[in-house]
Each structure stands twice: as C-alpha cells, then as structure tokens.
Amino acid sequence: MKMWSGRFREPLDPLFEQWQRSFPFDWRLLPQEVAASKAHAGALYAAEVLTTSEHDALLRGLDEIAALLPRQNGSSIADAQQNENPIQRLDPQLSEKAEDVHHFVELALVARIGDVALKLHTGRSRNEQIATDLRLYVRQSAEALIANLAAWANALLQQAKLAGDAVMPAYTHLQRAEPVLVAHWLLAYVEMLLRDAARLQDCRKRLNLCPLGSGAVAGATLALDRAQMATALGFDGPTANSMDATSDRDFVLEFLHALSLIALHASRFAEEITLFATQEFGLVELPESFSTGSSAMPQKKNPDFTELVRGKTGRILAAGHAVEMQIKGLPLAYNKDLQELQEPLFDATERMRMLLHLLTKFTPQLRFCKDRMIAASETGYLNAMAAATYLVRKGIPFRTAHEIIGNVVRYALDRKCELDALMLEELVRFSRAFAPDFFDAITPEATLDCHDVSGGTARHRVAAALIDAEARVRTWMNAFGATSREPMQEAHHAGA
Ligand code: ARG
C-alpha cells in the first residue's frame, strides 16, 4: 500500500509510478533513515505515544532492517556499479513496492513486527525525514572524505620526505622559472588538501542541526522533544524554522562546492603528472600498475589514470551546477524537485571518494627522474634570479641588477653556455661588482637557499615546512581516521 492512497480513487499511471520513484537510488540512505527513525521512536516513547513493548519492537525491527545492507568492500565497487541497489537483490518483492527509502522501511517494518510498525509515522513527515537523512549522509560523507584527504596528503608528505634534496624546475607560464625542491612542489598540494579538509569541516559544522520535529512544513503536531532527537543523532541541536528545515538544501550545495575544489586540486595534480610523464618533460615515471598500453602502438604507456582524474573532475563540478539549477526559483517549502538532487549528490560523493582513494594508492608509486630534473634545473638560466640577488648583495639596485644579468644571459645565449661557464673576465665587462664568489652564489644549492623566507624553497625552510605540514596532517588523521577509508566500506553505518 502507498503511504498516501486514502484520498485517491484512481491508481497511478504505471509508467509515471515507476518514473517518480526514488528507491532505486535513495536506498543508500537506509542507515540514516533507520537512525532517524529510532530517534523519532524515542521521542514518541517519551511523549507516551508508544508503550515500552511497542518501542522495543520498533527498535528491534529497525535494527534488523539496518542489517539488511551488507558491508561492502570498496575496492571491488567500480564507479559503473554504484547504481546497483543491493536491496533489490535481497528483497525484490518489497523493493518493487517501495516508492522511496521511507516507504521501504515502513513496509519492511510491517513485515517484521506487524501493524505496530504503522505507529512510527505518528507526528512526522517524509519531508523532515529526507531533510534529516540527507544531513546525516552529508555529515558522514564529509568525515569520510576528510579521512581520504588526510591519507592522500600523507602519501604526498611521504614522497616529499623521500625526495630529500632532489631539485626540479618550477614553472611559471609553463616556462622554466627557478629551481625548487621536489618536496616544496609536493607540499604545495598538501596545503591545498589541508584547506579542503577545513572546508569540509566547516560545512559539517553548519549543517549539524536536526530537522526532526519540523513536520511536513509547519512543525510537528505532537509535543516531541526535539532536543532529545537531535542529541540522539549527534546533532548540535534542532533547526530553528520548520519551513526552512524541510526545504533547505544549502548544505548539499556547500558540500558539493567543497568537492569541486577538491576535484580541481586533484585535476591540477593529474595534469602536472600527465605532463611531467611525457617524453618531452621526462620528470616522472608512471607506475605500470596505473598505466595502460595501446592496442595499436606496442611501445605506448599511457597515463589513463591521471587523464581520468582530470575527466571525472568535470562530472563532480557538474553535480554542483545540477543542484543549483534544481533549487533555483523553488518556492518554499518542500517540492518534489528536491528529490532530483540526490543522484548528483551520491554520484559526486562516491566518485570523489574513489578518486581520493586511488590517488592515495597511486602517489607512493610515482618515481621521480632525478637526473632529468637536475639537468632541467641546471639549464635555461634558472639561476638568473640568484645571480641578480648576488649583485643586489653587492649594493646594486635590483632594477639595475636585473638589467645586467639580462645582458649576461643574452651574451651566454649567444655563446650557447650557462652562467657558470662564463669567465670572471667576461663577467666584469658587464659590471665591476662581479667577483670570484659569484660562482658560489649561483650553484644549485645557493640558488635554492637564497629563498630563505618562511614558505620559500631554501633547504632548511622546506625541512621545517615538512615538519609543520606533517603535524597538521596528523591532526586531521587523528580526528578522522589514519588510513584511506575505502569508499562504501563504512557508507552503510548508521548516521550518528
Ligand atoms: N523521496 C522523497 C524525496 O526524496 C521523500 C519526500 C517525499 N515527500 C513528499 N511530500 N512527497 O524528496
């Protein structure tokens, strides 16, 4: 039976009936729906709407239903398989009948404990239920993603440690600019991921209020203890306005915007790796376990992994746009349009988690071609800035020093040599400030170490930055999990 058939004489058009269902995708909310239902049952019991034995029966039934979802191993779940509803296989009959996850729980509860199950819907509406389920889902996903981010950041940190004093060219305008430590480059990504984690936590903080008790739009018609329900679900308190609570999906958008930034960071990393792995750059060696061959050209080793990271970023960003379009212009309060935002939300969340998990496995297997990196850092006058700094130390204004070194570079270009191959006699023709110590000032080490400011690539500054970044990554790991949680693995936990 439908949850609303009383006032209707005609059945639904069968095709429309199928088309309007959300159970094929909102089955994912089963753990959250059960957790929220238990909290509601607790409030009904406190309000003396349920007897002790009815309350016990409801909790027992709800626990059995939560146990329906098998714990799954994320590594075996490819992106393509995410839309498969496991409950469809476990209970095809009820799944056929269930309009949405709320209806499914009601049907499954009746099947287990009989008509007392129907008392659960006293004083509540699906509108507050879906709002609550989604908040729990986003909260839990934000936490899981923070753990995934911390794990990837940690993988980057470990690579940075292993890189030691290895040097690479830093680029601006994709032209060689100045040498930096490989560790310095990797730490740039760690900073991005730490900001991403903070953004997710911020989103989590703002969403952590409980809509239960908001009813369909105007508030529950029973004096339910909203604070009690909020506490039971780990919320900081109840939401303040029933119309807002049942129609607000800001938290979904905020979360998807945070995901967009994570995806953009992943995509920039993926693009750099793709580029650096070309024969033209030759700065990194891709792991074979993350590369594919060509069916046509036997010599090929293609960077499919990083290309797909770039590609999937488009879909994650699109999810945010889809939700914006769905919410734009919706009158208060609940409208069925809101059901449409679930699929982009689930899709982006699951895709993002898999992406981060794979990046965490991929990163430790990257090999840096240190010889190529050094060669690239020592050719193309990447020490010109250090050379100008040398003249500045000798009292020459930077503008003039820049001009002098520019002329020296022009001269060396004509001679087809680097600055350190020039003779002092040649140099003094450009400025009397050049002395024998000039050559010490433009070695690769000196070129790094002249950037001796916090946040700079001087070797001792990067060593300190590593320690500092590691402490910050540890803080996130300690709070949200030390390993990269596999996507879906804990997705079926209860909400709290
Ligand atoms: N499946 C619905 C959704 O996700 C649940 C809420 C239904 N509420 C209603 N008034 N029809 O939006």
Side-chain angles (χ1 to χ4, degrees):
M1 195 167 88
K2 288 257 174 262
M3 297 175 92
W4 42 261
S5 48
R7 64 94 66 214
F8 287 82
R9 292 204 191 123
E10 284 184 36
L12 284 185
D13 175 279
L15 195 56
F16 170 61
E17 205 284 327
Q18 285 299 319
W19 184 76
Q20 54 96 43
R21 284 164 172 254
S22 54
F23 196 52
F25 48 86
D26 71 10
W27 61 267
R28 289 172 177 78
L29 298 174
L30 187 68
Q32 290 79 9
E33 174 71 7
V34 165
S37 292
K38 286 167 79 171
H40 180 69
L44 288 178
Y45 179 53
E48 295 179 3
V49 176
L50 297 175
T51 66
T52 308
S53 69
E54 286 171 334
H55 181 231
D56 289 349
L58 281 171
L59 294 190
R60 180 170 42 80
L62 286 167
D63 280 336
E64 277 177 33
I65 293 167
L68 276 178
L69 271 190
R71 277 176 144 257
Q72 298 183 20
N73 181 349
S75 56
S76 64
I77 298 182
D79 277 7
Q81 294 165 342
Q82 284 170 355
N83 283 327
E84 198 189 308
N85 175 358
I87 301 172
Q88 177 72 39
R89 246 180 303 123
L90 294 169
D91 198 336
Q93 267 191 325
L94 276 197
S95 299
E96 282 312 309
K97 286 196 199 133
E99 184 175 314
D100 55 24
V101 67
H102 321 292
H103 192 205
F104 174 80
V105 170
E106 183 169 294
L107 294 172
L109 209 50
V110 171
R112 278 167 183 74
I113 63 170
D115 278 353
V116 62
L118 300 174
K119 286 201 171 182
L120 181 60
H121 208 56
T122 315
R124 73 170 181 176
S125 155
R126 283 187 294 166
N127 298 352
E128 63 181 287
Q129 283 171 255
I130 187 61
T132 306
D133 294 356
L134 286 174
R135 279 179 193 245
L136 290 172
Y137 176 86
V138 171
R139 184 176 79 187
Q140 191 182 346
S141 300
E143 289 167 0
L145 276 162
I146 291 175
N148 287 127
L149 280 170
W152 184 29
N154 188 48
L156 291 163
L157 269 174
Q158 299 316 316
Q159 277 284 22
K161 277 190 192 166
L162 283 174
D165 278 353
V167 181
M168 68 185 284
Y171 299 83
T172 63
H173 313 268
L174 204 52
Q175 303 286 329
R176 285 182 199 166
E178 291 187 87
V180 290
L181 285 178
V182 171
H184 194 59
W185 167 66
L186 289 166
L187 285 175
Y189 284 99
V190 173
E191 289 305 319
M192 295 176 221
L193 303 187
L194 288 169
R195 283 198 298 276
D196 291 332
R199 235 183 310 271
L200 283 172
Q201 199 192 29
D202 194 39
C203 164
R204 184 203 183 283
K205 227 180 282 165
R206 220 183 328 277
L207 72 73
N208 204 31
L209 295 172
C210 185
L212 288 187
S214 297
V217 59
T221 50
L222 281 176
L224 298 175
D225 185 342
R226 295 195 63 208
Q228 176 196 326
M229 293 192 282
T231 305
L233 292 169
F235 285 114
D236 297 330
T239 48
N241 178 292
S242 62
M243 293 181 79
D244 177 45
T246 49
S247 64
D248 165 41
R249 298 293 184 272
D250 291 2
F251 60 95
V252 171
L253 258 183
E254 228 180 306
F255 176 69
L256 288 175
H257 289 157
L259 259 55
S260 294
L261 278 157
I262 302 171
L264 288 174
H265 295 151
S267 187
R268 292 183 81 174
F269 178 76
E271 169 59 15
E272 285 210 291
I273 299 299
T274 307
L275 205 58
F276 290 172
T278 58
Q279 282 184 39
E280 284 69 14
F281 276 80
L283 302 183
V284 300
E285 179 77 45
L286 292 173
E288 289 197 3
S289 54
F290 279 90
S291 308
T292 56
S294 155
S295 59
M297 299 162 280
Q299 86 286 6
K300 291 293 292 287
K301 179 178 166 196
N302 290 328
D304 290 32
F305 173 65
T306 49
E307 290 174 307
L308 279 174
V309 171
R310 247 176 14 201
K312 290 191 190 284
T313 296
R315 299 171 66 153
I316 291 171
L317 265 65
H321 297 325
V323 172
E324 283 157 2
M325 291 303 142
Q326 284 149 1
I327 293 176
K328 177 189 172 298
L330 274 194
L332 297 188
Y334 178 83
N335 297 273
K336 188 85 167 200
D337 316 39
L338 292 174
Q339 181 172 288
E340 281 295 299
L341 59 72
Q342 292 183 30
E343 284 168 287
L345 169 65
F346 297 146
D347 185 73
T349 305
E350 289 168 9
R351 212 170 288 287
M352 191 76 252
R353 297 214 43 210
M354 187 63 90
L355 215 73
L356 289 174
H357 185 63
L358 287 172
L359 279 162
T360 305
K361 293 181 83 175
F362 169 83
T363 298
Q365 297 183 56
L366 270 179
R367 291 290 162 261
F368 301 113
C369 309
K370 293 186 182 168
D371 295 344
R372 288 275 303 206
M373 284 179 154
I374 296 231
S377 308
E378 288 182 346
T379 49
Y381 311 100
L382 275 73
N383 52 3
M385 181 83 149
T389 304
Y390 168 84
L391 292 179
V392 168
R393 289 217 187 91
K394 299 276 171 181
I396 297 180
F398 181 76
R399 200 40 68 228
T400 315
H402 184 286
E403 185 69 17
I404 294 169
I405 299 297
N407 289 333
V408 173
V409 166
R410 181 70 259 164
Y411 175 80
L413 274 169
D414 292 341
R415 312 221 125 196
K416 296 189 172 37
C417 71
E418 290 293 320
L419 299 184
D420 59 0
L422 295 172
M423 299 299 200
L424 190 55
E425 300 88 84
E426 295 171 287
L427 288 166
V428 288
R429 277 187 242 138
F430 293 91
S431 165
R432 296 186 156 272
F434 284 111
D437 61 352
F438 173 68
F439 298 100
D440 298 331
I442 60 166
T443 62
E445 294 76 18
T447 307
L448 290 170
D449 289 343
C450 69
H451 300 278
D452 190 6
V453 288
S454 65
T457 198
R459 288 170 298 175
H460 79 102
R461 295 289 188 172
V462 174
L466 251 172
I467 292 168
D468 176 69
E470 185 155 37
R472 285 181 288 142
V473 170
R474 286 254 160 266
T475 306
W476 287 110
M477 288 176 119
N478 291 340
F480 290 91
T483 51
S484 172
R485 298 198 217 165
E486 294 206 336
M488 306 291 290
Q489 202 175 338
E490 76 302 293
H492 306 318
H493 272 288

